[in-house]
């Protein structure tokens, strides 16, 4: 046997026969089978604008085996497994070495095979001789990890010709930035839908729209097979011709990135199914390989040979979840229309989905409207792509994972890939995924969370707030918290409040990565201040923040490879310790601590000056580890903290307060005005009450506003549009056991032909409580159907509950607000 030498951390060193160099960036990585062998394939976008299919023929698939005691190489080199065709599989090379596994040195056998598909089969056959590791890492990920190649970054790639292939010899990182001049095409399909939900077996695709950017040029169009008198329409002979014209358009434009919206679940899937019915080969690949749909965790991912697919729907959901786009955080749903209108001053042109088939069968005007709608979908998608793709690009660069994977990843998956990459660099074994049994045990043993000092409800003047900067990341760095650094026997250690010791002298991956992320973000933020129009710098800063804030969650995630209750519990224990110590020091310094939660403090200054606040802050930071810092968030002239009912009586509510800064900026957290299941009249009234109290300090004026709204409701003066309550139907309409108001409103709309069942199911239902019926559900009618409203319902169940949470702290009661009496609580 000719064993391959060690982990493949350097590019191949074969002689360059023709001295050719390609300058460009990696946009995707996969592999092709050539007989029994598998060759890594890299899609390189050259600086010259061309796309190159480059192979690395020297990189071989492998896994590790930690052998049982006494097992030698000779014991496992003859082990045979069988592939799906019954052909035998054996190792092509075995190398003995040492690795670290969660802080302990272990002997490993690196087992090489001919094909990635052999890895799971041969590793399973070897389990009687030891424990396999890294046998579930996809070959393309294995490559980018071991070769240490960063996607979307400028490289000089030394290549040569070999057997008709362009073969890579080496990669040299070019330090200068490379312009991301990618050819991007956004597309959308329309489908004939007489039964509302189209069936690929019989319902044709009737239109395909596209909007593209190539070399700075922008254009768009619609391909269909009915004559439509619009300049942007291209007419095909039939459906087959239309699909082929679209594929040809993608090829002619030399597209690098194909963008859809929920396209993995619908557009691409439907096109594949429809092509099978029509007996045509639908393939958007640039190089050899099929267009296919793969699983990526719980999300479907589309794979093209030589191109990148980006589905903006999971991207938008990701951005909303991590909180990097305020304007989409409060959306009720994430349709293309909703997202586009959240980021654009324009309204999106829409038609009723249920009527698409009627428009297709209709007159010339209907067809023109349908084509315009289809085109507008592609144009709107282009705007959404431009708005959000930069943060995905920066996450790709930082995590060193290809863009197509990043766009379907969770924060945990991104953190895991960074850990995998760095484990290889540090010669550490990547831990195996937990079994379902392990996961169940972890879920049954929860980790104690953060400390919260609940507020005394009331109105307070002259406040100051503090935040620990990146509390959990800074704790992990400061105390070297990592599963591999746990050592109860070492003599030089950090001991967490829950008794876990972390070796001070162990170089551990998580603290090192977090230190890098935080330091890099600080540098990028400085650069961004000097160049605020650079969207990549802004996105890079956000990407560093997202990743650094995700490590603690990954430590405590039950499905994590690096799960550690000891580590996660130590992080929160340190967090509780630091927040309690800071509260105690603040109180000893004469401040009244109103509220504390996880990493933030709210203090009443009283007679204290800003200079004394600064001195207090300086003293706290002098006592903290170097990586930790308490930051002054802001000074506030007034704040409102409300209470909540509990089994032991009223107490302060967490994360429910309103503050006004010295500059007049209002900060509101946790009140109904950010919830969609309260009507606008309730939310707007609550906001007015808060703003009057915060800005003017006039409780009676705030109460008078509520009285005025109640009076308007009684007199029928409030427009129906302000009374809509929105709630999502999360299941099919027939799946509910109890009839809620939103379900009842939806059923009425379907029964009366106002809406279809398909339109209602799983959608956000906007309804109004009317005067007609006995129960609340019976009185609920869809917005657009309701003719009146039940004033008592909106007074007692919307306006009063929303405002009494504030006004009760000022001794007002419900009867006074309803003008039933003037007695206040004592």
């Amino acid at each position: 046997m000719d064993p391959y030498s060690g982990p493949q951390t350097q590019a191949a060193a074969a002689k360059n026969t023709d001295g050719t160099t390609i300058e460009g960036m990696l946009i995707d990585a996969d592999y092709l089978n050539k007989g029994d062998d598998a060759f890594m394939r890299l899609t390189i976008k050259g600086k010259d604008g061309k796309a190159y299919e480059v192979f690395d023929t020297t990189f071989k698939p492998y896994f590790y085996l930690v052998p049982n005691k006494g097992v030698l190489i000779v014991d496992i080199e003859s082990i045979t497994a069988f592939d799906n065709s019954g052909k035998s599989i054996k190792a092509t090379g075995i190398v003995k070495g040492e690795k670290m596994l969660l802080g302990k040195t272990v002997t490993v056998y690196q087992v090489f095979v001919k094909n990635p598909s052999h890895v799971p089969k041969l590793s399973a056959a070897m389990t009687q001789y030891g424990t396999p590791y890294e046998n579930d890492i996809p070959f393309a990920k294995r490559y980018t990890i071991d070769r240490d190649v960063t996607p979307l970054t400028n490289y000089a790639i030394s290549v040569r010709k070999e057997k008709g292939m362009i073969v890579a010899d080496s990669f040299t990182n070019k330090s200068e930035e490379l312009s991301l001049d990618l050819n991007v095409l956004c597309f959308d399909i329309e489908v004939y839908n007489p039964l509302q939900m189209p069936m690929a077996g019989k319902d044709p695709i009737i239109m395909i729209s596209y909007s593209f950017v190539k070399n700075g040029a922008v254009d768009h169009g619609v391909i269909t097979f009915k004559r439509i008198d619009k300049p942007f329409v291209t007419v095909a002979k039939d459906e087959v011709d239309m699909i082929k014209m679209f594929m040809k358009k993608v090829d002619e434009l030399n597209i690098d990135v194909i963008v859809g919206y929920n396209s993995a679940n619908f557009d691409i899937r439907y096109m594949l199914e429809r092509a099978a019915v029509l007996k045509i080969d639908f393939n958007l690949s640039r190089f050899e390989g099929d267009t296919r749909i793969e699983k990526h965790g719980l999300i479907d991912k589309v794979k093209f040979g030589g191109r990148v697919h980006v589905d903006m729907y999971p991207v938008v959901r990701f951005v909303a979840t991590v909180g990097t786009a305020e304007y989409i955080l409060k959306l009720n749903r994430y349709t293309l229309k909703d997202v586009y209108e959240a980021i654009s001053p324009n309204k999106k042109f829409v038609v009723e989905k249920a009527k698409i088939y009627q428009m297709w069968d209709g007159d010339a005007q209907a067809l023109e409207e349908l084509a315009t709608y289809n085109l507008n979908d592609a144009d709107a998608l282009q705007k959404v792509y431009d708005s959000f793709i930069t943060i995905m690009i920066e996450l790709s660069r930082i995590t060193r994972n290809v863009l197509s994977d990043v766009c379907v990843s969770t924060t945990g998956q991104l953190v895991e890939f960074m850990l995998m990459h760095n484990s290889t660099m540090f010669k550490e074994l990547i831990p195996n995924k937990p079994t379902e049994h392990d996961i169940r045990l972890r879920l049954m043993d929860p980790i104690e969370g953060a400390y919260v000092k609940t507020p005394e409800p009331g109105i307070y003047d002259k406040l100051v707030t503090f935040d620990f900067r990146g509390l959990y990341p800074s704790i992990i760095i400061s105390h070297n918290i990592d599963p591999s650094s746990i050592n109860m026997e070492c003599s030089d250690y950090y001991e967490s409040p829950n008794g876990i010791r972390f070796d001070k002298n162990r170089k551990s991956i998580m603290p090192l990565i977090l230190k890098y992320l935080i330091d890099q973000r600080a540098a990028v933020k400085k650069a961004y201040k000097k160049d605020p129009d650079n969207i990549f710098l802004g996105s890079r800063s956000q990407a560093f923040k997202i990743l650094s804030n995700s490590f603690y969650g990954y430590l405590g995630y039950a499905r994590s490879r690096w799960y550690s209750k000891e580590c996660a519990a130590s992080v929160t224990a340190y967090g509780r310790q630091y927040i309690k110590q800071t509260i105690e020091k603040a109180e000893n310094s004469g401040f009244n601590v109103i509220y504390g939660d996880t990493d933030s403090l709210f203090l009443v200054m009283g007679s204290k000056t800003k200079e004394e606040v600064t001195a207090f802050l300086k003293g706290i930071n002098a006592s903290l580890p170097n990586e930790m810092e308490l930051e002054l968030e802001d000074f506030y002239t007034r704040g409102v903290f409300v209470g909540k009912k509990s089994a032991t009586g009223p107490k302060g509510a967490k994360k429910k307060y309103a503050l006004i800064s010295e500059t007049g900026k209002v900060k509101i957290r946790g009140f109904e005005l950010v919830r969609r299941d309260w009507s606008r009249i309730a939310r707007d009234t609550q906001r007015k009450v808060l703003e009057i109290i915060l800005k003017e300090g006039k409780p009676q004026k705030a109460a008078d506003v509520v009285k005025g709204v109640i009076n308007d409701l009684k007199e029928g003066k409030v427009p129906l549009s302000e009374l809509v309550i929105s709630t999502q139907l999360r299941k099919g309409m027939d799946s509910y056991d109890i009839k809620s108001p939103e379900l009842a409103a939806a059923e009425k709309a379907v029964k009366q032909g106002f809406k279809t069942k398909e339109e209602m199911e799983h959608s956000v239902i906007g309804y109004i409580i009317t005067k007609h019926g006995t129960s609340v559900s019976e009185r609920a009618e869809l917005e657009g159907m309701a003719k009146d409203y039940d004033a008592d319902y909106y007074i007692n169940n919307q306006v009063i509950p929303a405002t009494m949470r504030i006004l009760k702290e000022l001794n007002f009661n419900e009867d006074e607000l309803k003008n039933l009496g003037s007695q206040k609580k004592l």
Side-chain angles (χ1 to χ4, degrees), residues 351-417:
V351 302
E352 280 193 52
K353 287 280 188 184
K355 294 182 178 179
I356 286 176
Y357 79 99
Q358 294 174 342
M359 298 176 75
W360 179 252
D361 292 335
D363 59 19
Q365 182 179 348
L367 283 169
E368 289 178 8
E369 286 185 11
L370 184 58
T372 301
Y373 166 69
N374 186 217
L375 183 70
N376 194 252
D377 273 352
D379 289 342
L381 181 55
Q382 185 76 61
K383 172 71 174 176
V384 172
Y385 172 85
D386 291 341
S387 298
F388 298 119
I389 197 60
T390 52
I391 196 163
M392 296 293 114
I393 288 169
E394 292 305 326
L395 285 169
S396 174
R397 287 167 165 167
I398 296 167
T399 63
R400 301 183 180 183
N401 201 355
V402 293
L403 183 63
S404 57
D405 280 352
V406 167
C407 287
V408 290
S409 292
T410 63
T411 54
Q413 289 168 329
L414 294 175
V415 166
E416 183 167 280
F417 191 78

Side-chain angles (χ1 to χ4, degrees), residues 420-436:
M420 290 165 69
H421 191 105
N422 283 272
S423 289
T424 300
M425 291 175 61
F426 278 79
K427 296 185 178 180
E428 296 204 10
L429 276 180
I430 297 169
N432 287 328
K433 290 179 180 179
T435 65
E436 288 300 319

